[in-house]
Amino acid sequence: MSNGCICCTLREDLLVQIGKLASEGRFDYLLIESTGISEPLPIAETFTFRDEVGQSLSDIARLDTMVTVVDAFNFLRDYGSEDLLATRGEALGEEDDRTVVDLLIEQIEFCDVLILNKTDLINSNDLAQLEGMLASLNPRALIVHSEMGQVPSNTVLNTGFFDFDAAANAPGWLATLRSEKISESDTYGIGSFVYRARRPFHPRRWWDLICREWPGVVRSKGYFWLATRPDFVGSWSQAGAVSHHGRVGT
């Protein structure tokens, strides 16, 4: 395959190459390892893309499982980082302004299996904390421990786990909004709640709040309303040390 991004420039190339492999009738399964800076949602959407003659990957292949590998040894440090991907030399290009945490969230929230690798390099307390965080971010994902990347093949191959609608609605914060119980989070001492109110936020108090650290807060997301801007609808998203906010409507 030519060089490029699997979720955009390689869509047609991927369709052609998988079509060739399927036509040979020699293979039962195809495992695709994308770059570590790929976002899984666009990759899954590639299977719905149709070329100029109307052919799609879903016509010749079934998307079986989305797997994300988590570096257990470095995850907690990376999750608390404010680094941009560009700072670490991992950006897709000059206009790629994603942070490391943005990417971690995308890859964890949209997957069927989470492989927790390097578990032999951390202690039991850190492992329990990490498992709790991952379970709260994606309560439907199967968490598999591994050392040196060794995992049972039946946990990642031919599982039949992938369901686009379920994956798109997998994030723990969505489950909380729907008032669904996330027992895994309770097991590891990580809780969640939904704040709803018709009373707007005081702008100065809201600003002071979002400008300071929130120790122990893994993930928060939602909309807000300011008393001084009654026609303003703001969006809020936070993961680890990184947060985003802005206007989304009126």
Side-chain angles (χ1 to χ4, degrees), residues 49-63:
F49 166 77
R50 294 192 177 277
D51 62 15
E52 64 276 4
V53 297
Q55 189 176 23
S56 169
L57 270 176
S58 59
D59 296 330
I60 56 176
R62 171 178 59 88
L63 182 53

Side-chain angles (χ1 to χ4, degrees), residues 65-68 70 108 111-116 131 134-135 138-145 152-157 159 161 184:
T65 316
M66 296 290 285
V67 181
T68 293
V70 175
I108 290 169
C111 74
D112 306 300
V113 178
L114 282 164
I115 296 178
L116 196 49
E131 283 190 319
L134 296 177
N138 186 343
R140 66 177 286 273
L142 171 67
I143 298 178
V144 180
H145 291 188
S153 60
N154 62 359
T155 61
V156 294
L157 299 179
T159 68
F161 285 158
E184 294 89 348

Side-chain angles (χ1 to χ4, degrees), residues 200-212 225-228:
F201 289 133
H202 185 288
R204 170 51 64 182
R205 293 171 188 162
W206 171 247
W207 178 254
D208 290 342
L209 176 66
I210 66 177
C211 286
R212 65 172 186 254
W225 175 34
L226 299 176
T228 52

Side-chain angles (χ1 to χ4, degrees), residues 186-246:
D186 295 336
T187 300
Y188 299 108
I190 296 179
S192 60
F193 68 93
V194 177
Y195 174 82
R196 292 187 177 97
R198 293 296 301 167
R199 184 177 180 179
F201 289 133
H202 185 288
R204 170 51 64 182
R205 293 171 188 162
W206 171 247
W207 178 254
D208 290 342
L209 176 66
I210 66 177
C211 286
R212 65 172 186 254
E213 292 186 15
W214 295 1
V217 178
V218 175
R219 181 80 159 119
S220 62
K221 195 167 185 176
Y223 299 100
F224 63 90
W225 175 34
L226 299 176
T228 52
R229 299 184 182 183
D231 296 329
F232 178 99
V233 179
S235 68
W236 170 260
S237 178
Q238 168 267 334
V242 176
S243 62
H244 303 280
H245 59 85

